[in-house]
Amino acid sequence: MSATVRELVDEAYDRRESTWRAALETVNDWVEAACSKSALLSGERVDVAAGRIKDRLRAGEKLRRKLADANDEIHEAVEVENQVIDVVGARVVCRTEREQSALWEILLDSNDDSNLAVAEVRDYTAHPKPSGYRGRHLIVEVPFDSEPSVLVELQLRTIMQEAWCTLAEEHLFKPGQALKSDSQQDRLSLILSGLMAQADEVAGYIADDVGAYLGMGNSAPPRTFDDAGAADQIPSMEVTIRELKHSYVLAADDVGRHGIIRLENLGLTPENSDGAALPHPGDKLQVRMDESTTTRYFIPVSTER
C-alpha cells in the first residue's frame, strides 16, 4: 500500500524545510539587490516581507484536492514539491503600480547576474483573476549544489492589492474552506478590486506630481489626471434595458438602480435612431456608471450586443 498523502508531506517537510528556508532567504536577497538598482525603489517604497513556508496541513489539503481533480496519485515525497509549487512563498509589497512595474522589469532582466532562473511568469495585474485578485507572480528556481533546486513563488503586490487580499480573498476565495462565497459576495469583491485599482492609479499620479515638484530622483514625468484614462478603470456592470424613449434609453442594474443611456453613447441621435441598432427591453448591456447630482448615467462599455 502506498504511503498516505499526510506521510509524504511530513517526509518532504522533514527532509527539505531547512533548504526551503535557505531558498526563501536567497530570493529575498535577490529582490533587495534589485531594489538597490533603482532610485524609484529606494527608501520605504518597497517592503520585502519575511515570506513563509506553507503550513503542512494546508499543503496536504491542497495536494489532496489537486490529485483528486486530476484523478492521480503520488508515491514519493519528492513529488510533493512538483505538485504544490507554492510551498515556499516570498512576498513584496510595493507602494504603487509604478514601483511594482519597475521592480518587475528589473527581476525579469535577462542580464541579471544572479544564478536564479525565472521558471514561470503570472501577471494578474494586467489580467486579474476572476475573483478580482491582482498582483504579479514569478516562480523562481533556486539551485543548490548537493540538493534538487527549489521553486519559490514570489508575489509582487501593491499596498492596495495587498489590502484587497486582506479584505476579500482571505475570507472568500480560499479553496477548501467550509464557507463559500455567493454571487453577491463575488460581485462585491470585484467592485472592491476595481475601486482599489483606481486608488492605485491615483496614488501613482500623486507620487509623480509630488516627486516632480520636489525634484526627487524617484519621480516619473508629471502627468495630468485627464490624460490618465481613469474612466477606463471604473469597473463595469450589467444592466437590463427597461424602456426606449425619444432621446434616451432607460435601464436598471441588478439592485434596482435606474439610469439613463444617451442615444449618442450608442452611436445614435434622436433624429437618426436606427431601430435595428437600438437595444430592446430585456436586453443586457455592460456599462459604467456616472452620477451627477441630479442624474445617473449608464455609459456602455461596448455598443456591441
Side-chain angles (χ1 to χ4, degrees):
M1 180 181 294
S2 62
T4 65
V5 167
R6 177 62 181 270
E7 290 170 342
L8 292 174
V9 168
D10 284 342
E11 183 181 345
Y13 273 71
D14 291 342
R15 286 184 178 181
R16 294 275 281 171
E17 188 165 359
S18 61
T19 304
W20 294 342
R21 295 197 181 280
L24 178 57
E25 185 176 343
T26 298
V27 169
N28 285 344
D29 290 343
W30 179 53
V31 173
E32 290 178 353
C35 290
S36 68
K37 298 178 180 178
S38 171
L40 181 62
L41 306 176
S42 62
E44 298 179 353
R45 305 199 70 81
V46 175
D47 177 29
V48 181
R52 60 102 184 102
I53 306 298
K54 188 182 286 291
D55 177 79
R56 293 188 185 208
L57 181 59
R58 290 185 64 183
E61 290 172 347
K62 184 169 185 176
L63 179 57
R64 286 189 184 93
R65 289 195 303 272
K66 189 167 184 178
L67 293 174
D69 290 344
N71 192 25
D72 198 3
E73 60 181 25
I74 63 174
H75 304 279
E76 297 182 15
V78 68
E79 296 178 78
V80 172
E81 288 179 72
N82 297 333
Q83 295 287 339
V84 186
I85 63 173
D86 64 343
V87 168
V88 188
R91 189 173 79 257
V92 178
V93 180
C94 304
R95 190 75 65 89
T96 67
E97 281 189 20
R98 67 180 196 147
E99 288 86 5
Q100 184 191 50
S101 296
L103 179 56
W104 178 256
E105 291 174 5
I106 293 173
L107 294 177
L108 290 177
D109 185 357
S110 59
N111 295 320
D112 189 331
D113 57 4
S114 74
N115 62 345
L116 305 183
V118 176
E120 190 173 341
V121 174
R122 302 173 180 176
D123 191 347
Y124 300 120
T125 292
H127 306 286
K129 289 185 176 182
S131 66
Y133 173 82
R134 286 172 163 86
R136 288 173 170 172
H137 295 193
L138 297 175
I139 305 299
V140 183
E141 185 175 0
V142 182
F144 287 88
D145 292 336
S146 57
E147 295 186 62
S149 60
V150 175
L151 294 179
V152 178
E153 182 185 57
L154 172 59
Q155 300 176 343
L156 278 65
R157 297 174 183 163
T158 67
I159 291 175
M160 289 297 160
Q161 291 168 349
E162 180 76 358
W164 182 89
C165 290
T166 301
L167 296 171
E169 186 188 50
E170 291 296 324
H171 298 292
L172 299 178
F173 298 106
K174 287 297 183 184
Q177 291 188 152
L179 296 177
K180 298 183 181 296
S181 58
D182 60 25
S183 59
Q184 175 172 300
Q185 292 164 352
D186 291 346
R187 181 173 178 271
L188 291 173
S189 176
L190 284 171
I191 292 173
L192 180 64
S193 174
L195 292 172
M196 286 184 160
Q198 291 179 66
D200 254 341
E201 189 170 16
V202 173
Y205 301 139
I206 293 172
D208 290 345
D209 287 345
V210 172
Y213 179 78
L214 297 177
M216 296 168 60
N218 65 358
S219 66
R223 296 166 288 178
T224 61
F225 192 72
D226 290 341
D227 296 335
D232 292 337
Q233 299 300 320
I234 299 174
S236 64
M237 59 183 181
E238 187 177 75
V239 297
T240 303
I241 304 302
R242 297 300 188 196
E243 296 181 55
L244 307 182
K245 302 293 186 179
H246 171 65
S247 59
Y248 64 89
V249 174
L250 186 66
D253 66 10
D254 60 1
V255 294
R257 294 177 298 184
H258 285 73
I260 288 172
I261 302 175
R262 292 190 175 109
L263 289 186
E264 54 262 37
N265 290 138
L266 295 169
L268 304 169
T269 65
E271 295 73 28
N272 184 28
S273 54
D274 180 4
L278 283 170
H280 299 87
D283 283 356
K284 308 288 186 180
L285 285 179
Q286 284 294 125
V287 302
R288 294 189 178 92
M289 187 167 64
D290 180 20
E291 290 186 291
S292 69
T293 56
T294 59
T295 310
R296 179 182 298 115
Y297 294 100
F298 292 143
I299 303 172
V301 174
S302 171
T303 56
E304 294 180 7
R305 304 198 309 278

